[in-house]
């Protein structure tokens, strides 16, 4: 009665899955984590879904990351950083604002590196150009794709809110940048 045929078959299917999961090693999970920066459970489930194939597992995590990014898109990103960059000759200044949900993420290295790359791209664009569709430095992905990966990694919505540039047209003119409070956004009601 307890060990009826249907229950026995259910246990067999569970054991079959467990025996395959035994082939997923901690080393494989660690390697996938290093490549994707995803959580351990996400890495393990991606490896199981990809049947141990590392490249397929990376694709699974990237697809899930884009889905997570879309799910978080509606969340308010009120923290972040404002950063400026003035050209070496002082004739052009660029400012960019990138927002995320909490100051904890905005203080992190991944976020700060993302902001650095965004300002680098913005500094080379003509005013008014769409920034998120531009190529992210060091790869063939766009800024928006890397932003979605950051959202997946941090678990928080991240938005390139706005950017602008200013050029000194006068022969002796120059641009100077000052960002109050180290770039932290601060509003008081």
């Amino acid at each position: 009665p307890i060990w009826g045929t249907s229950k026995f078959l259910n246990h067999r299917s569970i054991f079959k899955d467990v025996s395959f999961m035994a082939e997923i090693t901690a080393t494989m999970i660690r390697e996938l984590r290093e490549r994707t920066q995803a959580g351990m459970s996400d890495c393990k489930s991606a490896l199981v879904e990809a049947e141990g194939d590392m490249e397929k597992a990376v694709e699974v995590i990237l697809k899930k990351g884009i889905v997570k990014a879309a799910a978080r898109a509606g969340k308010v990103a009120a923290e972040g950083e404002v950063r400026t960059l003035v050209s070496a000759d002082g004739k052009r200044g660029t400012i960019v604002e990138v927002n995320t949900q909490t100051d904890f993420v905005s203080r992190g290295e991944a976020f700060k590196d993302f902001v650095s790359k965004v300002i680098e791209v913005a500094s080379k664009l003509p005013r008014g150009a769409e920034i998120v569709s531009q190529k992210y430095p060091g790869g063939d992905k766009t800024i928006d794709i890397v932003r979605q990966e950051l959202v997946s990694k941090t678990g928080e919505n991240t938005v390139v809110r706005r950017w602008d540039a200013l050029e000194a047209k006068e022969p002796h003119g120059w641009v100077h940048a000052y960002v109050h409070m180290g770039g932290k956004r601060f509003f008081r009601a």
Side-chain angles (χ1 to χ4, degrees):
I2 292 176
W3 294 101
T5 307
S6 63
K7 291 194 182 251
F8 180 72
L9 291 175
N10 287 341
H11 288 301
R12 279 181 114 180
S13 64
I14 290 170
F15 290 132
K16 187 168 121 181
D17 290 343
V18 170
S19 68
F20 178 73
M21 286 180 11
E23 296 174 27
I24 306 298
T25 65
T27 304
M28 293 169 70
I29 294 169
R30 184 179 66 231
E31 180 183 343
L32 187 58
R33 275 194 84 190
E34 288 171 359
R35 288 179 64 181
T36 64
Q37 302 299 315
M40 282 179 44
S41 61
D42 289 337
C43 289
K44 184 175 181 181
S45 64
L47 282 164
V48 170
E49 185 177 327
E51 299 176 351
D53 184 327
M54 189 63 67
E55 296 307 315
K56 287 182 183 176
V58 169
E59 290 177 23
V60 167
I61 286 191
L62 290 178
K63 286 178 186 173
K64 286 182 180 179
I66 291 170
V67 170
K68 285 182 182 179
R72 291 183 176 95
K75 295 186 177 178
V76 176
E79 293 293 327
E81 184 175 345
V82 173
R83 188 161 317 166
T84 60
L85 180 67
V86 177
S87 63
D89 65 357
K91 294 293 185 183
R92 179 181 164 107
T94 307
I95 186 168
V96 63
E97 179 183 352
V98 181
N99 300 132
T100 190
Q101 288 176 251
T102 66
D103 65 338
F104 177 76
V105 169
S106 70
R107 291 188 313 252
E109 287 302 313
F111 182 82
K112 290 189 174 295
D113 184 51
F114 179 72
V115 175
S116 294
K117 300 290 187 183
V118 170
I119 191 82
E120 179 183 324
V121 171
S123 69
K124 298 172 186 165
L125 293 177
R127 285 185 72 190
E130 178 66 36
I131 192 164
V132 293
S133 61
Q134 301 298 316
K135 184 178 170 189
Y136 191 78
D140 57 350
K141 298 176 185 176
T142 65
I143 288 176
D144 196 49
I145 295 295
V146 175
R147 181 197 64 81
Q148 290 174 9
E149 291 172 356
L150 182 63
V151 168
S152 176
K153 178 182 173 185
T154 63
E156 293 190 10
N157 190 21
T158 300
V159 180
V160 179
R161 182 160 183 239
R162 57 189 165 180
W163 79 276
D164 205 350
L166 179 68
E167 293 186 30
K169 304 229 186 244
E170 300 294 321
H172 298 290
W174 52 278
V175 176
H176 175 74
Y178 170 76
V179 178
H180 189 62
M181 294 181 57
K184 171 134 175 58
R185 294 185 63 233
F186 179 75
F187 295 104
R188 182 172 281 177

